[in-house]
Amino acid sequence: MNDYAGQHEVVSENMTSQITAELTRFVQELKQERKSHFHDGRKAQQNIETFWKQLEASKRRFERDCKEADRAQQYFEKMDADINVTKADVEKARQQAQTRHQMAEDSKGEYSSILQKFNHEQREHYHTHIPNIFQKIQEMEERRIVRIGECMKTYAEVDRQVIPIIGKCLDGITKAAESIDQKNDSQLVIEAFKSGFEPPGDIDFEDFTQPMKRTVSESSLSNSRWDGKSEPKPGSKSKGKLWPFIKKNKGGGPEDFSNLPPEQRRKKLQQKVDELNKDIQKEMDQRDALTKMKDVYIKNPQMGDAASVDHKLAELGQNMEKLRLEAQKFEGWLAEVEGRLPVRTEQTRRQSGMYDTQNTSAVNNCAQDRESPDGSYTEEQSQESEMKVPVTEFDDEFDDEEPLPTIGTCKALYTFEGQNEGTISVTEGEMLYVIEEDKGDGWTRIRRNEDEEGYVPTSYVEVYLDKNAKGAMTYI
């Protein structure tokens, strides 16, 4: 599944580098080019409108001058026909008419010139300038279409390159699904969580007709092979539960893990020994590196002071000695467990004789006797004299009545709708309690109150683990 997801990441990265980045740059270029073409179009339109205004102005002047010339001619003819008008007035009217005719001729020539120029510019505008602009816009759009096709082809190539690998991943997923062996998986779980205890032996008959000490079979369930707990009081959540479904002790155990079942104790001790050996190896690697550095400093004093490394070497030596002593201690406990399974601790031997003869009035209170959660016989003489019951320390998947302790707090970065079983809905900015950190599967277990808890995606919350919590670390 990881390989399959990785191939999609490869497709995404290649699309980003080969397609998205190139298209972003290309789109910016097209925007600038399109802006330039529209600017040229507006400029050409303004130019033809300017020539049109000039043509209209010259046309109106020509029309006005012609009308004035006609009026001047009519006035001259009227003056010339009138016998009462002096010769000087007639001459003046004639000159005025000639001037108006000349102005009309000049306006006619100007109008004709501007008209020819406008017609020329109009032909250029509609047959050259505007077609050229549209042609450039068309070519730009065609380049854009071609680039889209190239990007589609590139995407196909990018996807085609990973198809064989994706096919192998899918084959692997199918093969893994077909190779599931539920029996073997169950056996692995059994091996991982088996306690190592032997089944309890028969309980001896206890004769209460004679004053005598009550004895308990060493291998019976009521034997305090484990660190005992008092029988749950009436009304307790765990009343009526039978081994191995008794609540496990949530508190911290002894250093030698003697509170655990033998097999689980062996695994814990072996894990501790392996961790200490790794720490010792890490210290040895650091010491070797510093030793080589010191040799270099001795041979080449200009590179550094060899004495500056001595303090760190001494510190590493002390750390290694502490780790070796610690490893030897745990190896001794491990050898004890591996050599004597099941093992009885000193505490167990002390507790095996803890059951003394009770007050004879207990015999008269038989009607009030009851069974303890593990099935052993107890007396109800008083709440303080209840018999101890065994408690197992292995992880009880079936027991969810005792709430897990909080190991920190978290803040919801985004709103999450918990629709699947086991999840919980959160809103952005909400503060909640963390009861189980991410185990590598991308989910964190949180609690809102005593009745509301569940899992949310780790990427949806910002977690602040308590520094004193076991294995605490702060992460986002």
Side-chain angles (χ1 to χ4, degrees):
M1 293 294 288
N2 288 335
D3 293 341
Y4 180 75
Q7 296 309 309
H8 286 282
E9 291 180 359
V10 170
V11 172
S12 175
E13 292 172 358
N14 290 337
M15 285 183 63
T16 301
S17 61
Q18 300 180 27
I19 299 178
T20 306
E22 290 295 324
L23 277 184
T24 302
R25 180 186 57 81
F26 182 66
V27 166
Q28 292 299 325
E29 293 177 356
L30 288 183
K31 286 182 178 179
Q32 292 298 326
E33 184 177 351
R34 184 176 183 273
K35 184 177 180 180
S36 175
H37 294 329
F38 274 76
H39 176 73
D40 293 342
R42 287 192 297 269
K43 186 177 179 181
Q45 190 67 31
Q46 291 173 358
N47 186 55
I48 195 66
E49 288 176 357
T50 300
F51 279 104
W52 172 256
K53 290 178 181 178
Q54 292 176 357
L55 177 63
E56 285 292 314
S58 65
K59 180 180 179 181
R60 285 194 298 270
R61 281 196 303 270
F62 175 52
E63 182 181 8
R64 185 183 67 247
D65 291 343
C66 287
K67 290 180 178 179
E68 290 180 353
D70 288 340
R71 284 195 297 271
Q73 182 64 30
Q74 292 175 4
Y75 180 72
F76 166 68
E77 291 177 354
K78 179 180 179 182
M79 293 293 289
D80 188 43
D82 192 352
I83 59 175
N84 297 320
V85 178
T86 62
K87 186 176 181 181
D89 291 336
V90 173
E91 184 63 23
K92 183 179 179 180
R94 185 180 64 79
Q95 291 179 357
Q96 185 69 23
Q98 289 178 350
T99 301
R100 292 299 179 182
H101 278 292
Q102 185 62 40
M103 291 177 61
E105 287 295 329
D106 294 341
S107 297
K108 180 181 179 181
E110 181 183 358
Y111 171 62
S112 177
S113 175
I114 294 177
L115 179 61
Q116 292 178 1
K117 189 175 182 180
F118 172 78
N119 289 332
H120 173 74
E121 290 296 331
Q122 183 173 248
R123 286 194 299 270
E124 290 292 321
H125 178 80
Y126 287 105
H127 293 85
T128 304
H129 299 316
I130 295 300
N132 287 341
I133 293 173
F134 281 121
Q135 182 65 31
K136 291 178 181 178
I137 294 175
Q138 179 178 337
E139 291 174 355
M140 180 189 71
E141 288 297 310
E142 290 173 354
R143 291 200 311 273
R144 181 184 64 82
I145 295 170
V146 170
R147 179 59 66 91
I148 291 176
E150 292 174 352
C151 291
M152 294 172 64
K153 184 178 179 181
T154 302
Y155 167 72
E157 292 298 327
V158 167
D159 215 341
R160 185 177 289 111
Q161 289 175 1
V162 301
I163 286 178
I165 304 176
I166 288 179
K168 293 181 180 179
C169 293
L170 295 175
D171 292 341
I173 293 173
T174 303
K175 185 178 179 181
E178 293 174 349
S179 65
I180 290 176
D181 185 354
Q182 66 274 18
K183 297 295 184 182
N184 184 55
D185 291 346
S186 299
Q187 191 61 37
L188 292 175
V189 175
I190 293 171
E191 290 296 326
F193 295 101
K194 66 181 180 181
S195 67
F197 288 122
E198 294 180 350
D202 296 336
I203 300 176
D204 296 334
F205 175 77
E206 302 176 28
D207 191 353
F208 291 98
T209 59
Q210 299 178 3
M212 59 179 291
K213 285 189 176 182
R214 297 170 58 190
T215 59
V216 182
S217 171
E218 288 186 356
S219 59
S220 68
L221 280 174
S222 59
N223 184 356
S224 297
R225 186 179 299 275
W226 309 272
D227 292 332
K229 281 187 178 180
S230 298
E231 178 190 10
K233 295 180 180 181
S236 172
K237 290 183 179 180
S238 59
K239 182 178 180 181
K241 286 190 174 186
L242 298 179
W243 186 90
F245 302 109
I246 300 174
K247 289 182 181 292
K248 69 175 185 177
N249 183 13
K250 301 289 184 180
E255 185 183 16
D256 61 353
F257 305 109
S258 58
N259 57 327
L260 298 177
E263 183 64 24
Q264 296 298 315
R265 182 187 180 195
R266 182 190 67 78
K267 291 181 179 180
K268 287 286 186 181
L269 290 172
Q270 184 64 57
Q271 180 181 356
K272 187 68 176 179
V273 170
D274 293 341
E275 291 176 358
L276 290 170
N277 288 334
K278 288 181 180 179
D279 293 339
I280 293 173
Q281 185 61 43
K282 188 184 299 182
E283 297 288 329
M284 292 176 62
D285 294 341
Q286 293 185 21
R287 184 193 63 182
D288 294 342
L290 287 175
T291 302
K292 293 179 181 179
M293 185 184 297
K294 182 178 180 180
D295 294 340
V296 172
Y297 287 167
I298 293 175
K299 296 178 181 178
N300 302 281
Q302 69 276 10
M303 297 183 65
D305 184 11
S308 62
V309 186
D310 293 337
H311 176 71
K312 185 64 177 177
L313 285 173
E315 183 180 344
L316 288 174
Q318 294 175 1
N319 293 341
M320 289 172 59
E321 186 62 27
K322 291 179 182 178
L323 290 172
R324 285 196 179 97
L325 292 175
E326 192 80 3
Q328 290 175 3
K329 179 172 63 175
F330 280 94
E331 286 173 354
W333 287 331
L334 179 61
E336 176 188 5
V337 175
E338 291 178 342
R340 295 189 291 123
L341 277 175
V343 62
R344 293 186 65 200
T345 63
E346 191 66 27
Q347 184 180 7
T348 304
R349 287 192 290 271
R350 289 199 304 269
Q351 292 178 345
S352 60
M354 67 176 288
Y355 304 103
D356 297 327
T357 305
Q358 305 293 330
N359 195 309
T360 54
S361 62
V363 179
N364 300 325
N365 296 331
C366 292
Q368 299 178 2
D369 292 347
R370 69 179 188 276
E371 283 189 351
S372 64
D374 64 340
S376 60
Y377 187 87
T378 64
E379 295 174 332
E380 197 168 304
Q381 182 178 355
S382 68
Q383 293 292 337
E384 299 176 354
S385 63
E386 293 176 350
M387 183 181 294
K388 306 290 184 179
V389 297
V391 178
T392 57
E393 286 298 323
F394 60 83
D395 194 7
D396 187 359
E397 295 278 339
F398 303 92
D399 187 9
D400 58 357
E401 293 178 357
E402 181 176 343
L404 294 172
T406 60
I407 60 175
T409 58
C410 69
K411 178 182 179 181
L413 299 176
Y414 316 100
T415 299
F416 172 72
E417 298 294 338
Q419 299 178 350
N420 296 329
E421 183 178 358
T423 60
I424 184 172
S425 300
V426 297
T427 57
E428 182 178 354
E430 186 179 7
M431 296 298 297
L432 306 109
Y433 295 100
V434 179
I435 57 177
E436 187 174 324
E437 60 180 314
D438 191 347
K439 301 298 184 182
D441 56 0
W443 294 87
T444 298
R445 191 175 182 181
I446 63 173
R447 176 187 296 134
R448 181 177 287 109
N449 50 51
E450 292 183 359
D451 299 324
E452 291 185 78
E453 66 179 45
Y455 289 91
V456 296
T458 303
S459 58
Y460 276 60
V461 294
E462 185 175 8
V463 179
Y464 310 96
L465 296 183
D466 295 338
K467 292 183 178 180
N468 57 353
K470 184 177 179 181
M473 60 178 289
T474 302
Y475 62 91
I476 295 179

